[in-house]
mmCIF file of all heavy atoms in Angstrom:
data_model
loop_
_atom_site.group_PDB
_atom_site.id
_atom_site.type_symbol
_atom_site.label_atom_id
_atom_site.label_comp_id
_atom_site.label_asym_id
_atom_site.label_seq_id
_atom_site.Cartn_x
_atom_site.Cartn_y
_atom_site.Cartn_z
ATOM 1 N N GLU A 69 2.789 16.926 -3.395
ATOM 2 C CA GLU A 69 3.267 18.210 -3.255
ATOM 3 C C GLU A 69 3.336 18.817 -4.744
ATOM 4 O O GLU A 69 3.345 18.291 -5.642
ATOM 5 C CB GLU A 69 4.667 18.181 -2.649
ATOM 6 C CG GLU A 69 4.725 17.624 -1.289
ATOM 7 C CD GLU A 69 6.095 17.580 -0.530
ATOM 8 O OE1 GLU A 69 7.016 17.930 -1.285
ATOM 9 O OE2 GLU A 69 6.159 17.164 0.636
ATOM 10 N N ALA A 70 3.394 20.192 -4.596
ATOM 11 C CA ALA A 70 3.300 21.022 -5.778
ATOM 12 C C ALA A 70 4.417 20.632 -6.769
ATOM 13 O O ALA A 70 4.088 20.636 -8.046
ATOM 14 C CB ALA A 70 3.518 22.421 -5.476
ATOM 15 N N GLY A 71 5.558 20.248 -6.375
ATOM 16 C CA GLY A 71 6.634 19.868 -7.251
ATOM 17 C C GLY A 71 6.528 18.469 -7.787
ATOM 18 O O GLY A 71 7.481 18.017 -8.627
ATOM 19 N N ASP A 72 5.623 17.626 -7.419
ATOM 20 C CA ASP A 72 5.510 16.226 -7.843
ATOM 21 C C ASP A 72 4.753 16.108 -9.192
ATOM 22 O O ASP A 72 3.629 16.552 -9.256
ATOM 23 C CB ASP A 72 4.602 15.410 -6.741
ATOM 24 C CG ASP A 72 5.292 15.239 -5.445
ATOM 25 O OD1 ASP A 72 6.548 15.639 -5.360
ATOM 26 O OD2 ASP A 72 4.716 14.841 -4.473
ATOM 27 N N ASP A 73 5.517 15.694 -10.154
ATOM 28 C CA ASP A 73 4.981 15.657 -11.424
ATOM 29 C C ASP A 73 3.738 14.639 -11.574
ATOM 30 O O ASP A 73 2.869 14.765 -12.300
ATOM 31 C CB ASP A 73 6.030 15.275 -12.598
ATOM 32 C CG ASP A 73 7.060 16.277 -12.652
ATOM 33 O OD1 ASP A 73 6.781 17.527 -12.441
ATOM 34 O OD2 ASP A 73 8.172 16.068 -13.144
ATOM 35 N N THR A 74 3.930 13.518 -10.904
ATOM 36 C CA THR A 74 2.882 12.350 -10.989
ATOM 37 C C THR A 74 2.609 11.840 -9.618
ATOM 38 O O THR A 74 3.449 12.051 -8.654
ATOM 39 C CB THR A 74 3.437 11.267 -11.829
ATOM 40 O OG1 THR A 74 4.605 10.671 -11.245
ATOM 41 C CG2 THR A 74 3.807 11.699 -13.244
ATOM 42 N N THR A 75 1.580 11.157 -9.447
ATOM 43 C CA THR A 75 1.220 10.472 -8.197
ATOM 44 C C THR A 75 2.310 9.336 -7.897
ATOM 45 O O THR A 75 2.605 9.016 -6.780
ATOM 46 C CB THR A 75 -0.139 9.936 -8.123
ATOM 47 O OG1 THR A 75 -0.426 9.111 -9.230
ATOM 48 C CG2 THR A 75 -1.137 11.080 -8.056
ATOM 49 N N LEU A 76 2.868 8.693 -9.062
ATOM 50 C CA LEU A 76 3.860 7.643 -8.861
ATOM 51 C C LEU A 76 5.123 8.331 -8.213
ATOM 52 O O LEU A 76 5.712 7.896 -7.309
ATOM 53 C CB LEU A 76 4.231 7.115 -10.115
ATOM 54 C CG LEU A 76 5.410 6.114 -10.111
ATOM 55 C CD1 LEU A 76 5.226 4.965 -9.088
ATOM 56 C CD2 LEU A 76 5.660 5.540 -11.517
ATOM 57 N N TYR A 77 5.405 9.582 -8.645
ATOM 58 C CA TYR A 77 6.570 10.275 -8.063
ATOM 59 C C TYR A 77 6.320 10.386 -6.634
ATOM 60 O O TYR A 77 7.220 10.284 -5.686
ATOM 61 C CB TYR A 77 6.910 11.656 -8.812
ATOM 62 C CG TYR A 77 8.000 12.398 -8.284
ATOM 63 C CD1 TYR A 77 9.396 12.147 -8.557
ATOM 64 C CD2 TYR A 77 7.753 13.300 -7.223
ATOM 65 C CE1 TYR A 77 10.381 12.786 -8.058
ATOM 66 C CE2 TYR A 77 8.845 14.030 -6.714
ATOM 67 C CZ TYR A 77 10.158 13.665 -7.153
ATOM 68 O OH TYR A 77 11.204 14.369 -6.495
ATOM 69 N N THR A 78 5.109 10.881 -6.265
ATOM 70 C CA THR A 78 4.821 11.111 -4.887
ATOM 71 C C THR A 78 5.014 9.863 -3.984
ATOM 72 O O THR A 78 5.572 9.868 -2.880
ATOM 73 C CB THR A 78 3.318 11.602 -4.737
ATOM 74 O OG1 THR A 78 3.155 12.868 -5.410
ATOM 75 C CG2 THR A 78 3.032 11.869 -3.240
ATOM 76 N N ALA A 79 4.459 8.742 -4.587
ATOM 77 C CA ALA A 79 4.564 7.490 -3.823
ATOM 78 C C ALA A 79 6.058 7.136 -3.671
ATOM 79 O O ALA A 79 6.409 6.648 -2.471
ATOM 80 C CB ALA A 79 3.835 6.384 -4.589
ATOM 81 N N LEU A 80 6.832 7.237 -4.685
ATOM 82 C CA LEU A 80 8.270 6.924 -4.478
ATOM 83 C C LEU A 80 8.996 7.822 -3.631
ATOM 84 O O LEU A 80 9.881 7.431 -2.845
ATOM 85 C CB LEU A 80 8.960 6.951 -5.969
ATOM 86 C CG LEU A 80 8.504 5.885 -6.958
ATOM 87 C CD1 LEU A 80 8.999 6.103 -8.274
ATOM 88 C CD2 LEU A 80 8.854 4.488 -6.448
ATOM 89 N N ARG A 81 8.676 9.102 -3.752
ATOM 90 C CA ARG A 81 9.359 10.135 -2.827
ATOM 91 C C ARG A 81 9.091 9.906 -1.372
ATOM 92 O O ARG A 81 9.926 9.857 -0.451
ATOM 93 C CB ARG A 81 8.866 11.620 -3.175
ATOM 94 C CG ARG A 81 9.429 12.653 -2.237
ATOM 95 C CD ARG A 81 8.930 14.005 -2.678
ATOM 96 N NE ARG A 81 7.464 14.103 -2.760
ATOM 97 C CZ ARG A 81 6.578 14.117 -1.694
ATOM 98 N NH1 ARG A 81 7.055 14.153 -0.456
ATOM 99 N NH2 ARG A 81 5.286 14.238 -1.877
ATOM 100 N N GLU A 82 7.757 9.675 -1.095
ATOM 101 C CA GLU A 82 7.334 9.336 0.213
ATOM 102 C C GLU A 82 7.872 8.117 0.801
ATOM 103 O O GLU A 82 8.278 7.981 2.005
ATOM 104 C CB GLU A 82 5.799 9.454 0.362
ATOM 105 C CG GLU A 82 5.213 10.733 0.218
ATOM 106 C CD GLU A 82 5.344 11.569 1.539
ATOM 107 O OE1 GLU A 82 5.510 10.981 2.558
ATOM 108 O OE2 GLU A 82 5.174 12.764 1.345
ATOM 109 N N THR A 83 8.050 7.065 -0.085
ATOM 110 C CA THR A 83 8.507 5.767 0.354
ATOM 111 C C THR A 83 10.046 5.955 0.783
ATOM 112 O O THR A 83 10.518 5.397 1.713
ATOM 113 C CB THR A 83 8.355 4.730 -0.612
ATOM 114 O OG1 THR A 83 6.997 4.545 -0.872
ATOM 115 C CG2 THR A 83 8.944 3.376 -0.256
ATOM 116 N N GLU A 84 10.794 6.721 -0.032
ATOM 117 C CA GLU A 84 12.177 6.990 0.245
ATOM 118 C C GLU A 84 12.246 7.723 1.613
ATOM 119 O O GLU A 84 13.122 7.443 2.498
ATOM 120 C CB GLU A 84 12.756 7.789 -0.827
ATOM 121 C CG GLU A 84 14.296 8.030 -0.565
ATOM 122 C CD GLU A 84 14.933 8.738 -1.698
ATOM 123 O OE1 GLU A 84 14.350 9.467 -2.596
ATOM 124 O OE2 GLU A 84 16.291 8.646 -1.859
ATOM 125 N N GLU A 85 11.391 8.757 1.853
ATOM 126 C CA GLU A 85 11.539 9.475 3.065
ATOM 127 C C GLU A 85 11.022 8.634 4.308
ATOM 128 O O GLU A 85 11.660 8.794 5.314
ATOM 129 C CB GLU A 85 10.380 10.799 3.034
ATOM 130 C CG GLU A 85 10.888 11.727 2.090
ATOM 131 C CD GLU A 85 9.750 12.850 1.906
ATOM 132 O OE1 GLU A 85 8.722 12.840 2.691
ATOM 133 O OE2 GLU A 85 9.948 13.687 1.041
ATOM 134 N N GLU A 86 10.056 7.778 4.139
ATOM 135 C CA GLU A 86 9.693 7.002 5.283
ATOM 136 C C GLU A 86 10.477 5.749 5.614
ATOM 137 O O GLU A 86 10.603 5.414 6.800
ATOM 138 C CB GLU A 86 8.198 6.569 5.161
ATOM 139 C CG GLU A 86 7.217 7.736 5.164
ATOM 140 C CD GLU A 86 5.813 7.440 4.820
ATOM 141 O OE1 GLU A 86 5.396 6.122 5.072
ATOM 142 O OE2 GLU A 86 4.907 8.214 4.524
ATOM 143 N N LEU A 87 10.885 5.155 4.546
ATOM 144 C CA LEU A 87 11.600 3.797 4.732
ATOM 145 C C LEU A 87 13.132 3.800 4.193
ATOM 146 O O LEU A 87 13.699 2.776 4.373
ATOM 147 C CB LEU A 87 10.809 2.678 3.936
ATOM 148 C CG LEU A 87 9.439 2.389 4.416
ATOM 149 C CD1 LEU A 87 8.817 1.360 3.613
ATOM 150 C CD2 LEU A 87 9.457 1.878 5.950
ATOM 151 N N GLY A 88 13.469 4.957 3.745
ATOM 152 C CA GLY A 88 14.966 5.020 3.348
ATOM 153 C C GLY A 88 15.250 4.175 2.090
ATOM 154 O O GLY A 88 16.293 3.629 1.996
ATOM 155 N N ILE A 89 14.201 3.887 1.308
ATOM 156 C CA ILE A 89 14.511 2.948 0.027
ATOM 157 C C ILE A 89 14.784 3.902 -1.159
ATOM 158 O O ILE A 89 13.944 4.831 -1.475
ATOM 159 C CB ILE A 89 13.352 2.160 -0.317
ATOM 160 C CG1 ILE A 89 12.995 1.270 0.942
ATOM 161 C CG2 ILE A 89 13.495 1.366 -1.599
ATOM 162 C CD1 ILE A 89 11.651 0.416 0.642
ATOM 163 N N ASP A 90 15.813 3.796 -1.823
ATOM 164 C CA ASP A 90 16.206 4.506 -3.015
ATOM 165 C C ASP A 90 15.201 4.074 -4.121
ATOM 166 O O ASP A 90 15.068 2.946 -4.433
ATOM 167 C CB ASP A 90 17.623 4.168 -3.410
ATOM 168 C CG ASP A 90 18.002 5.155 -4.625
ATOM 169 O OD1 ASP A 90 17.314 5.171 -5.532
ATOM 170 O OD2 ASP A 90 19.214 5.749 -4.416
ATOM 171 N N PRO A 91 14.489 5.085 -4.680
ATOM 172 C CA PRO A 91 13.607 4.741 -5.825
ATOM 173 C C PRO A 91 14.106 3.886 -6.980
ATOM 174 O O PRO A 91 13.452 3.114 -7.596
ATOM 175 C CB PRO A 91 13.067 6.079 -6.279
ATOM 176 C CG PRO A 91 13.277 7.053 -5.175
ATOM 177 C CD PRO A 91 14.488 6.518 -4.424
ATOM 178 N N SER A 92 15.445 4.026 -7.169
ATOM 179 C CA SER A 92 16.066 3.300 -8.248
ATOM 180 C C SER A 92 16.035 1.782 -8.010
ATOM 181 O O SER A 92 16.173 1.009 -9.013
ATOM 182 C CB SER A 92 17.513 3.713 -8.502
ATOM 183 O OG SER A 92 18.321 3.402 -7.330
ATOM 184 N N VAL A 93 15.804 1.226 -6.867
ATOM 185 C CA VAL A 93 15.642 -0.209 -6.634
ATOM 186 C C VAL A 93 14.237 -0.721 -6.565
ATOM 187 O O VAL A 93 14.000 -1.812 -6.254
ATOM 188 C CB VAL A 93 16.378 -0.593 -5.318
ATOM 189 C CG1 VAL A 93 17.898 -0.222 -5.400
ATOM 190 C CG2 VAL A 93 15.749 -0.063 -4.062
ATOM 191 N N ILE A 94 13.333 0.188 -6.895
ATOM 192 C CA ILE A 94 11.804 -0.075 -6.916
ATOM 193 C C ILE A 94 11.427 -0.156 -8.381
ATOM 194 O O ILE A 94 11.762 0.677 -9.135
ATOM 195 C CB ILE A 94 11.085 0.947 -6.121
ATOM 196 C CG1 ILE A 94 11.469 0.996 -4.671
ATOM 197 C CG2 ILE A 94 9.595 0.710 -6.392
ATOM 198 C CD1 ILE A 94 10.891 2.202 -3.940
ATOM 199 N N GLU A 95 10.806 -1.341 -8.740
ATOM 200 C CA GLU A 95 10.167 -1.450 -10.098
ATOM 201 C C GLU A 95 8.683 -1.235 -10.062
ATOM 202 O O GLU A 95 7.877 -2.066 -9.601
ATOM 203 C CB GLU A 95 10.433 -2.882 -10.509
ATOM 204 C CG GLU A 95 9.953 -3.082 -11.982
ATOM 205 C CD GLU A 95 9.883 -4.580 -12.408
ATOM 206 O OE1 GLU A 95 10.560 -5.389 -11.712
ATOM 207 O OE2 GLU A 95 9.369 -4.919 -13.370
ATOM 208 N N PRO A 96 8.167 -0.065 -10.532
ATOM 209 C CA PRO A 96 6.708 0.118 -10.567
ATOM 210 C C PRO A 96 6.129 -0.851 -11.505
ATOM 211 O O PRO A 96 6.538 -1.074 -12.569
ATOM 212 C CB PRO A 96 6.577 1.582 -11.077
ATOM 213 C CG PRO A 96 7.935 2.263 -10.668
ATOM 214 C CD PRO A 96 8.958 1.106 -10.911
ATOM 215 N N LEU A 97 4.989 -1.453 -11.051
ATOM 216 C CA LEU A 97 4.284 -2.354 -11.890
ATOM 217 C C LEU A 97 2.903 -1.724 -12.332
ATOM 218 O O LEU A 97 2.518 -2.119 -13.510
ATOM 219 C CB LEU A 97 3.790 -3.611 -10.981
ATOM 220 C CG LEU A 97 5.011 -4.423 -10.398
ATOM 221 C CD1 LEU A 97 4.591 -5.591 -9.624
ATOM 222 C CD2 LEU A 97 5.897 -4.904 -11.570
ATOM 223 N N GLY A 98 2.332 -0.852 -11.610
ATOM 224 C CA GLY A 98 1.229 -0.242 -12.153
ATOM 225 C C GLY A 98 0.267 0.325 -11.072
ATOM 226 O O GLY A 98 0.411 -0.035 -9.929
#
Side-chain angles (χ1 to χ4, degrees):
E69 296 179 356
D72 294 352
D73 292 336
T74 65
T75 56
L76 175 57
Y77 180 86
T78 302
L80 292 170
R81 176 184 52 75
E82 287 284 339
T83 299
E84 183 175 25
E85 288 174 12
E86 292 178 18
L87 295 178
I89 302 173
D90 187 309
S92 68
V93 301
I94 297 172
E95 178 192 349
L97 299 177

